[in-house]
Amino acid sequence: MTKRVYADHSATTPLKKEVLDAMVPYLTENFGNASSIYLEGRESKKAIETAREQVAKAIGAQSNEIYFTGSGTEADNWAIKGVAYALAEKGKHIITSAVEHHAVLHTVKALEKEGFKVTYLPVDEYGMVSAEDVKNAITDETILITIMFANNEIGTIMPIEEIGKIAREKGIIFHTDAVQAVGMEEIDVEKMNIDLLSLTAHKFYGPKGIGALYIRKGVKIKRFIEGGAQEKNKRAGTENVAGIVGLGKAIELATTDIAGKKEKLSKLRDFYIKEVMERIPFTRLNGHPTKRMASNANISFEFIEGESLLLMLDMKGISASSGSACTSGSLDPSHVLLAIGLPHEIAHGSLRVTFGDSSTMEDAKYIADSLVEIVTRLRDMSPLYEDAVKSGRV
């Protein structure tokens, strides 16, 4: 049987045993509804509040500023729509970037249909938003700035602290989608002047179906789901106690030694990038060369299709991605790669490899070796490559 190498940790991560062990009691004997006043309910309520403290500690917040959601996508939706509706009388202008996750882009586009105005800031060739551009886009009508912490496709880390400072000075609410960054980057919402922050457990070895939204005390935001008084009367619905416990344990583990994790992952990433770029011609590293996630390597290969690349990698036991997890089934080129200036044909031939806790140097070498073989084979079948040879470019 072909060995499997998992290299798509930005899409999702495996559940850690310690996290599962923490969750199991709340799926079995400790099954009480946290809204009930008897013992079983109190035990569930206590577990939720412990997790709330764990999340708060991980990002430098207060526990009463943490609200649990069903996903990172829900957290993004709530942050953006909640503020937009709460402050609509003050203004209807929102600032975001062209490279946000679809959870943000689709949400602001929906608000545009309701009369809100949205500025989509461009990015540079590395996918970086300029803090100066954010400042210049602010108008008297601006009520919200939403810029991701780190890009899920190309790994570029945004100037969040600078943007937060600008937003705070102008009295504008600042939200960041930190789904990719939590557990990978040091985050301090107070120091960075972040008002709202979205996260989800399955990106840092927790369970799927549970996320959280940090809402700074004093921020005006509409409740997201009607029906009950859960989450301090802001998000109705019986709590997913086991999921919340898992999120709490996972974020505690993920933020214990961020520096050590980054050191290990960046060595794997840099080795892999060097191997691929030196051994395969007509390649391009996407994203910022240094201000990028330690786990992320996004490389474009000219003259080939990303879908064929993924299928042949899968046959060799390698799991990777051609873009974000939520668009991997789409044949359209990545909006992020187009935003950094790549033409369609090159954007189509891009591969995202993201390493994780279980990744080894042997894995990185196996992926690079496999790519040398696969890219050579695909180019031999490519009419685009044949034309490049005939024109003397190759």
Side-chain angles (χ1 to χ4, degrees):
M1 182 181 173
T2 305
K3 76 166 188 169
R4 297 298 304 180
V5 174
Y6 186 74
D8 202 17
H9 289 84
S10 282
T12 197
T13 53
L15 189 69
K16 282 199 169 174
K17 185 180 183 302
E18 303 98 308
V19 176
L20 177 61
D21 289 346
M23 293 172 65
V24 167
Y26 298 93
L27 292 165
T28 52
E29 64 265 26
N30 297 348
F31 57 85
N33 186 317
S35 296
S36 303
I37 62 171
Y38 43 72
L39 180 63
E40 291 88 346
R42 295 198 305 271
E43 288 296 322
S44 289
K45 185 73 172 175
K46 183 180 176 183
I48 289 172
E49 294 314 311
T50 296
R52 211 183 299 279
E53 289 170 8
Q54 290 169 314
V55 175
K57 183 180 178 183
I59 62 171
Q62 300 299 314
S63 61
N64 62 0
E65 298 174 313
I66 304 301
Y67 298 82
F68 294 111
T69 65
S71 62
T73 295
E74 184 192 317
D76 283 340
N77 272 257
W78 183 12
I80 296 166
K81 288 185 175 179
V83 169
Y85 295 148
L87 302 181
E89 290 185 6
K90 181 182 176 184
K92 286 193 169 186
H93 180 232
I94 298 168
I95 297 170
T96 190
S97 84
V99 297
E100 297 297 310
H101 189 278
H102 285 129
V104 169
L105 291 179
H106 289 179
T107 303
V108 295
K109 284 184 186 300
L111 287 171
E112 281 186 296
K113 293 176 182 176
E114 298 180 36
F116 287 84
K117 294 178 181 176
V118 180
T119 296
Y120 300 90
L121 296 175
V123 292
D124 65 16
E125 62 183 305
Y126 303 121
M128 183 80 74
V129 172
S130 159
E132 192 64 23
D133 282 355
V134 173
K135 187 175 182 179
N136 293 336
I138 294 171
T139 72
D140 292 340
E141 292 279 306
T142 308
I143 54 171
L144 175 67
I145 297 167
T146 175
I147 303 289
M148 65 191 345
F149 202 108
N151 188 267
N152 48 302
E153 292 192 40
I154 59 176
T156 298
I157 299 169
M158 303 298 184
I160 292 301
E161 195 165 341
E162 290 177 63
I163 296 170
K165 186 172 183 288
I166 291 165
R168 187 61 55 87
E169 287 172 354
K170 297 287 186 179
I172 297 166
I173 302 299
F174 176 42
H175 165 250
T176 187
D177 174 349
V179 162
Q180 293 292 333
V182 171
M184 292 290 292
E185 294 292 322
E186 297 285 356
I187 297 176
D188 186 330
V189 293
E190 285 297 320
K191 183 185 174 191
M192 295 177 168
N193 290 313
I194 295 168
D195 297 305
L196 300 145
L197 179 145
S198 305
L199 61 90
T200 189
H202 75 100
K203 303 293 187 180
F204 46 84
Y205 306 91
K208 296 176 184 65
I210 185 70
L213 178 63
Y214 155 73
I215 306 174
R216 182 175 60 80
K217 189 177 179 183
V219 169
K220 288 183 70 175
I221 188 167
K222 291 276 189 182
R223 62 180 297 156
F224 194 60
I225 299 176
E226 302 291 342
Q230 292 89 352
E231 292 304 284
K232 298 185 282 294
N233 206 33
K234 277 190 164 62
R235 195 257 186 194
T238 300
E239 298 93 342
N240 173 6
V241 182
I244 290 169
V245 168
L247 188 157
K249 183 64 176 178
I251 204 168
E252 184 179 70
L253 294 171
T255 53
T256 299
D257 183 19
I258 290 177
K261 182 192 297 184
K262 287 174 70 172
E263 184 180 4
K264 178 209 166 182
L265 291 175
S266 60
K267 282 180 182 175
L268 292 177
R269 176 202 67 195
D270 292 346
F271 168 80
Y272 164 78
I273 291 172
K274 186 171 183 287
E275 283 283 297
V276 172
M277 302 289 281
E278 287 184 356
R279 295 170 64 188
I280 305 175
F282 302 104
T283 53
R284 180 191 194 278
L285 177 65
N286 299 314
H288 199 283
T290 56
K291 295 174 184 175
R292 70 184 299 128
M293 299 286 285
S295 61
N296 179 291
N298 187 307
I299 297 175
S300 293
F301 301 87
E302 285 193 59
F303 314 116
I304 63 171
E305 286 285 337
E307 288 76 24
S308 302
L309 189 58
L310 288 180
L311 287 169
M312 293 182 78
L313 283 169
D314 190 34
M315 289 169 67
K316 282 191 163 288
I318 298 166
S319 302
S321 170
S322 60
S324 65
C326 302
T327 59
S328 58
S330 170
L331 293 176
D332 293 328
S334 153
H335 70 286
V336 174
L337 298 181
L338 295 180
I340 64 173
L342 266 62
H344 277 59
E345 63 272 18
I346 295 179
H348 264 305
S350 298
L351 179 74
R352 182 186 72 175
V353 164
T354 44
F355 298 103
D357 286 2
S358 62
S359 302
T360 64
M361 196 62 79
E362 183 185 354
D363 292 338
K365 188 170 189 321
Y366 180 66
I367 299 168
D369 289 345
S370 299
L371 279 171
V372 172
E373 178 189 326
I374 291 168
V375 171
T376 300
R377 194 188 317 171
L378 287 173
R379 283 179 177 168
D380 284 344
M381 297 185 289
S382 167
L384 291 173
Y385 189 67
E386 187 179 337
D387 290 344
V389 172
K390 286 177 181 175
S391 68
R393 189 183 162 205
V394 177

